Amino acid sequence: MSSRTRARGMKAAGVHTVHIPRQRGRRAAQPFVIVVPERPSLTWEAARWVGRMLWRHRGGLAPTGLALLALAAAGVLHAMAPRTGLFLAALAAGPAVWVLLMQRRRPGTGSVLAWRIGLALLVTLAAGWCAAAAGFGPFAGPLGWMWLLIWGTAQTVWLIVRRTH
């Protein structure tokens, strides 16, 4: 590469400098320096825009992150130790026990009881899916559709509850 197009010294990210040597006949004249910024590609701009939107709305997308984490964890558990599904199946009864304990400590009626039962049902379904996915694989049979349904329900409820409070 010739010295005319090579950047000299430290180079800023995405900027190319081109040095044009002095013209003959002018001994005291400074050389021309042209700085040409490099434009990012359309793919890079789209990825940056998506990243900014995800970061800006990260609080509203918490169930999505948890659902993706559960999908990956179930896949890893299935690949490493499928018998962990039996242990997770026993833990799936936890939300029902929680509802019973909450009703004993702080009895709720009406909408409070409905929210408790709904939340316990959703968490029980998610824990049951995790147990089945760890045992049989995350996409075995209808488990992929179940994951999608549980994720969509959790995300919708999350967005509704966040708007009203």
Side-chain angles (χ1 to χ4, degrees):
M1 182 179 274
S2 73
S3 63
R4 290 181 179 204
T5 58
R6 186 175 55 232
R8 298 176 194 238
M10 292 299 289
K11 181 173 140 181
V15 175
H16 297 288
T17 58
V18 179
H19 294 276
I20 299 174
R22 274 189 245 164
Q23 301 297 316
R24 293 188 177 121
R26 296 183 173 177
R27 293 183 185 237
Q30 294 291 324
F32 292 99
V33 177
I34 300 173
V35 179
V36 181
E38 180 181 309
R39 288 194 161 167
S41 68
L42 187 59
T43 305
W44 178 251
E45 286 292 324
R48 281 180 44 193
W49 182 82
V50 168
R52 277 193 304 261
M53 288 298 115
L54 287 174
W55 183 254
R56 187 174 297 150
H57 301 291
R58 66 189 179 273
L61 295 174
T64 300
L66 288 175
L68 290 173
L69 181 68
L71 183 68
V76 169
L77 281 175
H78 174 68
M80 293 181 70
R83 291 184 184 170
T84 56
L86 297 173
F87 175 71
L88 292 174
L91 291 179
V97 173
W98 174 79
V99 169
L100 293 174
L101 288 175
M102 285 302 292
Q103 278 303 105
R104 178 176 277 177
R105 288 182 188 166
R106 291 183 175 178
T109 58
S111 66
V112 172
L113 183 60
W115 273 103
R116 284 179 186 171
I117 292 173
L119 181 64
L121 182 65
L122 186 62
V123 173
T124 301
L125 281 173
W129 178 87
C130 284
F136 302 114
F139 297 113
L143 289 178
W145 289 107
M146 279 181 61
W147 177 83
L148 196 62
L149 182 68
I150 293 168
W151 163 74
T153 305
Q155 183 67 49
T156 303
V157 169
W158 180 261
L159 290 176
I160 290 170
V161 169
R162 282 178 50 97
R163 293 247 188 232
T164 58
H165 293 298

